[in-house]
Amino acid sequence: QVQLVESGGGLVQAGGSLRLSCAASGRTFSSYSMGWLRQAPGKEREFVAAIAWSGGSTYYTDSVKGRFTISRDNAKNTVYLQMNSLNAEDTAVYYCAARSPGRPWLHPDYWGQGTQVTVSS
C-alpha cells in the first residue's frame, strides 16, 4: 500500500514558479514510476510528467517541456515537480500518481488527493 500526499500548490502570477512535492508512505515507493497529472475546470484529467523508478528517465507532455522538471528522491520517498514560466493554462488541480509497469497513467495504482495551482494573468 502506498499513500501519496501533495503539497506546494497555491496562487502565483503568470511567469512565476512553484514547486510541488509528493510525499509517499510505504516501503515499495521505489518500485513505482511516479507521475503528475492535472485537471482543469471543465476538462479531463491529463498527463503532465513522469519519472521512472530509477529516476533515469523522464517524460513530459508537450505543453510543459522546457518549463517543468520532475525529479524524485527515493531516500525521502518524495517526488517533485518544479514548474517555471507558469501561465493561465497551467491552472488546475495537480495530482501525484504511482504506477506499476503496464498500467496507463490515467489509471495508476495510487492517487494523491490533489493540490490546487492557480496562475493569475
Side-chain angles (χ1 to χ4, degrees), residues 52-108:
W53 69 270
S54 66
S57 298
T58 56
Y59 310 88
Y60 300 93
T61 192
D62 286 346
S63 63
V64 308
K65 285 180 181 177
R67 301 189 299 122
F68 290 12
T69 302
I70 189 170
S71 61
R72 67 189 293 166
D73 185 337
N74 286 345
K76 295 182 178 179
N77 281 7
T78 302
V79 62
Y80 306 96
L81 185 68
Q82 177 67 43
M83 306 186 295
N84 300 327
S85 301
L86 286 161
N87 57 59
E89 287 70 39
D90 297 314
T91 295
V93 177
Y94 283 71
Y95 296 90
C96 178
R99 187 200 73 165
S100 53
R103 294 184 70 100
W105 276 111
L106 287 177
H107 298 283

